[in-house]
Amino acid sequence: MLADHPAVAAELARLDAVADAREAAAAEARDAGDDAAVYVEEVAGRARWAADRARALATDASARPVPAKPIPRVHCSRLSLATFRREYVARKEPVVICGLGPHLTEDGERGDGLGWLTRHGANKKVAVTRDNAHVNSTLACADTEILDLGEHLARVLPLDAPNLPEDAEGFGSRDGDGTYLYDCAMPLKLPSLLNAVRVPRYFAHDFLQRTRDVHAFTASWPSLFVAAPHTKSSLHVDQWRGNFWMAMVRGTKRWTLFHDEDVPYLSPDYGRGTLDPAFPRMHVMDAAHASWRRRNANAADDDDDDDDDDDRTNDETPGTNDDETPPRWAEDARPCDSHPLLPYARRWDVDLGPGEVLFVPGGFPHVVHNLDVTCSFAGNFVDESNLDAALRDMKLLGAKYGEQMMRTHDAIDEVWFDPEDEVMVEECLEPRRLVVRYEDYLGGRAGRWGASDWDGIPDEE
Ligand SMILES: O=C(O)CCC(=O)C(=O)O
């Protein structure tokens, strides 16, 4: 059993210790009559859930690692808006939508040249992080630089020519290496860009746009990302289980997603006291497992050369000699010493290329590695698939962070999103009719369109 392995036992003990500490903090908050006690209790509940779920896996004799899966690609001309909502969003199935590339910006087929970005945004000030600092929760002024978007582009675009591998000499010391314009809210910070981009219509029914009152997320999306090669995001879960989409305009991002139920296998740390845990850096976990697999492969080769080696069982599963002696493991079945439960998490990997649009289900931990210079825009959204969960988390966030967050909860909660009122477009539409202008996304207007209400943006625009 997995739980017999020292690294797994240590991980279970760590998860238990964190859950114990969070429960103690919750009891303290309750006794003190703290308004945020419900939040602290929820964090404790999630920490305990993680510990219990990890233990259930580790004591399940039938548990086996699960191989990573690719994310399916579907061409937009074969994916109706209704099918997307039913088959992917409602079922929490990630998907890559292809074929929208020429329609994502006003520059059509030439969107990846970023002319639209330069024309409408080059002289706008943006905050760019250095040294991958956008992954730190304690982002400090020293980690960011305020500069013109045009300057940022001028620094990062040459980094593709040539695109050096991360371990190449000289990588990391060039001007612009490690810089990232990360998640910059266009409506708030770069409104001049809004007419140049199109929102994929698959997300135009977003409930966040359909409130009577404005709220904290009315003007958050689409947000812009412009990244230097080999910058990375942290492994994280988006707030309040927001569903997420990203449209790639230029370059390729390597995405990794995990199922939300498998958070406990990713060495989560609820010790920071937030609803969603911190995780170790993904590339560190992957590197540890890769070197573990290499060592096992070498050990297996050595084994083949040594027929007299009777010190190691050849079983797939560990065995014990008697109750006193520790279990012995076949090298290929032994869990890795670091992050030993990682291979048991359901995982998807995809390289998201120019013109492709990714859907990430709410609550799914995810992480990104920019393989070259990338430019993309993205958003979170709420619909019938995650409304209850989002409201629940927003209410807890309101209890912890106060008025503004609670008003956001209330703005969404007061609307009755009746399933009967939803417009489900069953027809497959031409790609040009599957993007909308920002002005039609704002306020949820495009979400109410039927199949024939929108012919796409006329060419002369
Ligand atoms: O593209 C990236 O770096 C990550 C985007 C992301 O994960 C997010 O905004 O939640």
Side-chain angles (χ1 to χ4, degrees):
M1 223 162 19
L2 272 175
D4 297 328
H5 188 269
V8 177
E11 174 61 358
L12 296 181
R14 183 191 70 80
L15 289 166
D16 274 335
V18 172
D20 290 347
R22 292 333 307 167
E23 282 166 359
E28 208 172 295
R30 226 174 11 245
D31 292 348
D34 190 337
D35 286 346
V38 282
Y39 180 97
V40 187
E41 281 168 6
E42 178 66 21
V43 176
R46 293 186 189 189
R48 182 59 68 197
W49 164 77
D52 290 349
R53 195 165 154 79
R55 173 157 290 97
L57 173 86
T59 52
D60 176 358
S62 65
R64 293 285 177 274
V66 284
K69 291 201 283 190
I71 299 183
R73 285 185 158 83
V74 182
H75 197 274
C76 61
S77 59
R78 290 190 296 279
L79 183 64
S80 76
L81 298 169
T83 304
F84 169 69
R85 226 158 131 175
R86 261 196 317 262
E87 304 292 319
Y88 295 98
V89 185
R91 292 187 180 176
K92 296 204 294 196
E93 291 286 344
V95 65
V96 173
I97 304 171
C98 310
L100 289 174
H103 308 281
L104 292 174
T105 73
E106 66 179 15
D107 286 354
E109 301 276 0
R110 297 181 316 282
D112 62 350
L114 306 189
W116 57 276
L117 195 52
T118 310
R119 277 196 304 284
H120 301 289
N123 59 358
K124 299 290 184 296
K125 291 276 183 259
V126 288
V128 169
T129 57
R130 286 190 272 248
D131 299 330
N132 278 299
H134 54 279
V135 299
N136 302 331
S137 51
T138 53
L139 198 61
C141 286
D143 300 324
T144 57
E145 227 175 319
I146 307 292
L147 75 175
D148 285 352
L149 177 54
E151 264 179 82
H152 177 52
L153 283 173
R155 283 166 90 195
V156 296
L157 285 173
L159 301 177
D160 257 358
N163 182 17
L164 297 179
E166 277 178 285
D167 55 1
E169 203 185 318
F171 177 81
S173 58
R174 300 168 302 172
D175 186 37
D177 269 337
T179 61
Y180 203 163
L181 173 63
Y182 187 85
D183 202 11
C184 180
M186 287 192 208
L188 288 177
K189 297 186 179 145
L190 296 166
S192 56
L193 285 180
L194 288 170
N195 285 336
V197 296
R198 323 282 186 230
V199 176
R201 196 169 153 188
Y202 294 97
F203 317 110
H205 64 287
D206 182 7
F207 292 180
L208 297 176
Q209 289 295 330
R210 289 161 51 182
T211 58
R212 185 177 59 93
D213 286 335
V214 293
H215 54 76
F217 305 108
T218 300
S220 300
W221 299 295
S223 62
L224 181 70
F225 296 74
V226 182
H230 302 303
T231 47
K232 300 177 179 75
S233 77
S234 60
L235 177 60
H236 66 279
V237 178
D238 286 353
Q239 57 186 341
W240 35 262
R241 297 182 73 85
N243 289 321
F244 179 80
W245 59 269
M246 175 169 272
M248 280 311 289
V249 180
R250 177 195 167 105
T252 302
K253 280 176 188 268
R254 177 158 296 167
W255 276 83
T256 298
L257 274 50
F258 293 96
H259 200 285
D260 57 346
E261 289 161 6
D262 297 348
V263 161
Y265 313 152
L266 308 177
S267 308
D269 184 3
Y270 286 90
R272 68 178 183 178
T274 51
L275 291 178
D276 296 309
F279 298 99
R281 300 297 308 273
M282 190 70 231
H283 62 282
V284 173
M285 292 201 279
D286 274 346
H289 279 261
S291 91
W292 180 253
R293 282 192 300 273
R294 275 196 303 276
R295 280 210 300 279
N296 281 348
N298 292 342
D301 284 351
D302 291 350
D303 247 9
D304 287 347
D305 296 344
D306 182 5
D307 289 340
D308 297 334
D309 184 1
D310 58 358
D311 197 30
R312 189 183 285 138
T313 171
N314 285 325
D315 288 342
E316 277 280 289
T317 47
T320 48
N321 295 333
D322 56 46
D323 287 342
E324 304 301 314
T325 52
R328 294 176 303 164
W329 293 80
E331 288 292 356
D332 59 351
R334 186 149 63 115
C336 178
D337 284 337
S338 358
H339 317 294
L341 303 182
L342 179 66
Y344 297 83
R346 280 161 285 177
R347 170 180 180 149
W348 292 258
D349 289 318
V350 75
D351 286 353
L352 191 72
E356 296 187 319
V357 175
L358 174 67
F359 162 65
V360 180
F364 274 37
H366 53 272
V367 63
V368 164
H369 174 177
N370 293 291
L371 297 182
D372 47 15
V373 177
T374 65
C375 174
S376 53
F377 56 91
N380 283 106
F381 70 101
V382 170
D383 67 8
E384 63 281 359
S385 69
N386 61 344
L387 177 65
D388 292 345
L391 282 173
R392 186 163 181 269
D393 277 15
M394 284 176 187
K395 195 167 190 177
L396 291 164
L397 288 161
K400 164 99 172 148
Y401 295 107
E403 273 290 286
Q404 203 206 5
M405 197 63 215
M406 203 53 103
R407 275 202 301 273
T408 294
H409 165 272
D410 295 346
I412 300 161
D413 194 36
E414 73 161 9
V415 183
W416 175 244
F417 294 102
D418 190 335
E420 295 291 311
D421 294 340
E422 295 304 311
V423 182
M424 299 294 273
V425 178
E426 301 285 351
E427 293 87 337
C428 288
L429 303 175
E430 295 163 72
R432 71 188 170 86
R433 297 173 67 200
L434 286 168
V435 295
V436 302
R437 299 185 194 97
Y438 176 72
E439 68 203 62
D440 294 323
Y441 160 77
L442 186 68
R445 195 169 144 192
R448 294 189 288 272
W449 287 342
S452 52
D453 286 331
W454 171 239
D455 279 334
I457 297 156
D459 284 345
E460 57 272 21
E461 272 190 41

